[in-house]
Amino acid sequence: MLAVVACGLSASACGADPRPAEEPTPVLGWVVGDGCATPPDRVRADGDGIVARGLADAGYRSLYVVCDAAQAPAALDDSALHARLDEQGLRLSVIPSNDADVSAAMRADIPLPALRTAITRHVMAAQPLVFSGEAALLDDAHIATVANRDVLAIGRDSRRTAGAPINGDDERFSRAIGSQGLIVSLTNGESAARDMSFDLDEVNLAGDVVAATDVWTGRRVHASGGTITVPVASTDSALLRIG
C-alpha cells in the first residue's frame, strides 16, 4: 500500500486512504518530480503532461512525489498547485522511497520491448502499475503502450491472485482472471527472436479448438496439436488472453 506521509500534500483528509474506494486495484500511478526538492512548477508541468498525453483519461490520476524527509517539503504545500490538480482530476501524495510500489516503479521511457515485458510481469504478478519519467517527452508508441486499455483492464481485474510459472519456467506464466478467465505470458529473454509455446494441458485446458489473443498486438492465434505458439522478439513479451 502506498503510504501518505504528509497530509498537506494530498487532497485527501489527514488519515484518509489516498485512493478512493471506487478506484479499481491495482492503482495506476505516476512518480513525478525530483524528490523532496521538487518545486510546485515541476509537479504542475508533470501533471499537465500526463493530462495532455491522455494518460489521465487512461486512469493515471494518482501522482507520487518520493521523499524520505520527516516533514513534507514546504515547497509542495502549494494551494494553487492542488487547486489545479483538482481541476484536472489528479491526486498528489508523498511516499517514502522504500515503499514497495515505488521501488518497483517502471521507467516509461525504456525501449518498447523491455517496457512491454516490464508491464507484462507486473500484470502477471497482480502488482500496481506505477511509472516514472516525464510523460510530455514520451513518443506516441510509448504512450500507447502504457495506456493500452486491454492490458490495463487485465491489470485492474478484481481477482487479485498472482500468476505462477508454467512448469517452473520463469519465461512462461499463467494467471486466472475474472470468474473463469485465463491469461498466459511468454517472455523471450534471449538475444534473438524465437517462437515460444505452451501446451494446453500445461494450463489445464482440454481439446484442440482453443484460441488466444495477444493483447499487445491484437494478433489472434489458434492451438495446433494441443499447443499454442507465437513469435516473440528479443526481450519482448506476448500477453495472451485465452478464449
Side-chain angles (χ1 to χ4, degrees):
M1 175 70 73
L2 293 169
V4 175
V5 298
C7 302
L9 297 181
S10 175
S12 305
C14 188
D17 189 333
R19 306 175 189 179
E22 69 273 10
E23 182 176 19
T25 55
V27 66
L28 305 180
W30 210 277
V31 176
V32 298
D34 297 308
C36 299
T38 301
D41 285 349
R42 172 62 189 277
V43 175
R44 185 179 294 108
D46 285 348
D48 288 348
I50 286 169
V51 171
R53 301 296 277 136
L55 294 173
D57 288 339
Y60 294 97
R61 296 183 173 275
S62 297
L63 309 184
Y64 306 114
V65 171
V66 179
C67 181
D68 293 321
Q71 295 183 338
L76 288 180
D77 192 10
D78 186 290
S79 59
L81 169 63
H82 290 288
R84 178 162 181 81
L85 295 179
D86 286 344
E87 290 175 359
Q88 296 172 312
L90 303 176
R91 298 178 299 276
L92 177 64
S93 301
V94 175
I95 49 180
S97 60
N98 63 357
D99 183 278
D101 295 335
V102 169
S103 63
M106 298 168 277
R107 288 288 309 183
D109 55 1
I110 60 177
L112 285 170
L115 180 60
R116 284 188 290 267
T117 289
I119 297 172
T120 296
R121 286 173 172 163
H122 276 67
V123 166
M124 297 307 290
Q127 291 180 329
L129 302 178
V130 179
F131 293 90
S132 64
E134 294 186 51
L137 300 181
L138 297 176
D139 61 29
D140 290 346
H142 282 76
I143 291 293
T145 299
V146 299
N148 184 303
R149 293 189 182 277
D150 292 331
V151 175
L152 295 186
I154 296 173
R156 289 170 136 179
D157 185 77
S158 59
R159 186 169 179 172
R160 304 307 317 140
T161 303
I166 298 173
N167 285 338
D169 184 351
D170 286 341
E171 291 190 324
R172 305 184 305 156
F173 271 72
S174 66
R175 177 188 163 196
I177 60 172
S179 58
Q180 296 180 321
L182 178 68
I183 54 175
V184 172
S185 69
L186 303 172
T187 296
N188 180 6
E190 297 187 0
S191 58
R194 61 186 169 116
D195 288 343
M196 300 188 69
S197 62
F198 64 94
D199 295 335
L200 299 181
D201 59 10
E202 290 184 295
V203 292
N204 298 318
L205 295 177
D208 200 36
V209 187
V210 176
T213 300
D214 185 347
V215 297
W216 283 125
T217 65
R219 179 180 181 179
R220 189 80 169 153
V221 295
H222 298 267
S224 176
T227 300
I228 288 181
T229 302
V230 295
V232 185
S234 173
T235 71
D236 211 338
S237 291
L239 182 57
L240 303 173
R241 186 160 194 160
I242 308 300

